[in-house]
Amino acid sequence: MVVDERGTQLGLLPIPEAITLAGERGLDLVEVAPGAKPPVCRFMDYGKFKYRKNKRAHEAKKHQKLMRLKEIKITPRTSEHDYKFKLKHTTRFLTEGNKAKVTVFFKGRQITHAELGRVMLDRFVEDTKELAVVSQKPKLEGRRMSMILEPTKKTRQAAHTPIKAKPAEEPEAATQAKVEAEGEADAKD
């Protein structure tokens, strides 16, 4: 089945005849539905078709929001200051719209007290409950226990809204204010 550039069906044509018809019109013969019975071919400018297809794919990719996975590493005996430092990084990652993987590493005999690692992870969940939800529950893998925090829908939307800049002061108004200030200074002298 052959379809011309306007969408009109030309019927079943032999391949050489369809190619010559397309060539006379300055177009290419492109098979658009090879699985159909009979296969469907169309007259079109194939270069322009590929260009538009790539352009659409590029535009779709441009508007796509990318979410990265950032990792935070701690131990069950992480000090308070270090914990707050890591928590600050985690909140920054979440407000930027990224996921955060919090991993507790057990050193030496610490693995016998895995509940201390669970306590640290629960503390992270509690401290980030306004910004994140747990997308992967804490699980123990060898000498490490990890979980993944994902930003809430509200946090993600806030991360992707552009910050409005303050309007710049008009040059004439700034110049006028400067002249008035100089005039007042001269009057005082």
Side-chain angles (χ1 to χ4, degrees), residues 71 101-106 111 114 118 121 136-148:
E71 187 171 14
K101 180 178 183 178
V102 183
T103 305
V104 178
F105 284 94
F106 297 100
I111 194 70
R118 173 80 65 174
L121 293 178
Q136 180 183 333
K137 301 252 186 233
K139 62 180 179 179
L140 186 64
E141 299 168 331
R143 290 195 158 274
R144 67 177 96 180
M145 182 182 289
S146 60
M147 71 173 175
I148 296 178

Side-chain angles (χ1 to χ4, degrees), residues 80-166:
E80 185 64 25
H81 175 267
D82 291 341
Y83 172 80
K84 287 183 180 178
F85 186 77
K86 302 283 186 173
L87 181 65
K88 186 176 176 183
H89 281 290
T90 306
T91 55
R92 188 185 82 218
F93 295 153
L94 293 169
T95 55
E96 288 173 355
N98 298 315
K99 291 182 180 181
K101 180 178 183 178
V102 183
T103 305
V104 178
F105 284 94
F106 297 100
K107 300 175 185 173
R109 294 183 189 174
Q110 290 177 346
I111 194 70
T112 58
H113 297 286
E115 68 276 358
L116 296 177
R118 173 80 65 174
V119 168
M120 290 295 280
L121 293 178
D122 290 342
R123 188 172 169 198
F124 255 95
V125 171
E126 184 62 31
D127 291 342
T128 59
K129 67 182 174 188
E130 293 87 29
L131 300 172
V133 293
V134 178
S135 66
Q136 180 183 333
K137 301 252 186 233
K139 62 180 179 179
L140 186 64
E141 299 168 331
R143 290 195 158 274
R144 67 177 96 180
M145 182 182 289
S146 60
M147 71 173 175
I148 296 178
L149 298 173
E150 188 174 305
T152 59
K153 191 172 184 178
K154 184 178 177 183
T155 307
R156 257 182 288 163
Q157 288 173 345
H160 296 299
T161 53
I163 299 171
K164 294 182 180 177
K166 294 180 181 177

Side-chain angles (χ1 to χ4, degrees), residues 11-50:
L12 296 173
L13 297 175
I15 294 173
E17 186 180 332
I19 292 173
T20 55
L21 270 173
E24 289 172 1
R25 297 178 184 194
L27 300 170
D28 302 312
L29 181 68
V30 180
E31 188 175 27
V32 291
K37 296 206 178 182
V40 178
C41 296
R42 185 180 182 124
F43 295 160
M44 66 172 70
D45 185 353
Y46 189 65
K48 188 185 280 188
F49 170 74
K50 280 182 63 175

Side-chain angles (χ1 to χ4, degrees), residues 45-63:
D45 185 353
Y46 189 65
K48 188 185 280 188
F49 170 74
K50 280 182 63 175
Y51 173 78
R52 287 184 178 160
K53 184 177 177 183
N54 287 339
K55 191 87 167 163
R56 281 193 301 268
H58 180 72
E59 285 295 317
K61 191 174 182 180
K62 185 175 168 182
H63 296 295

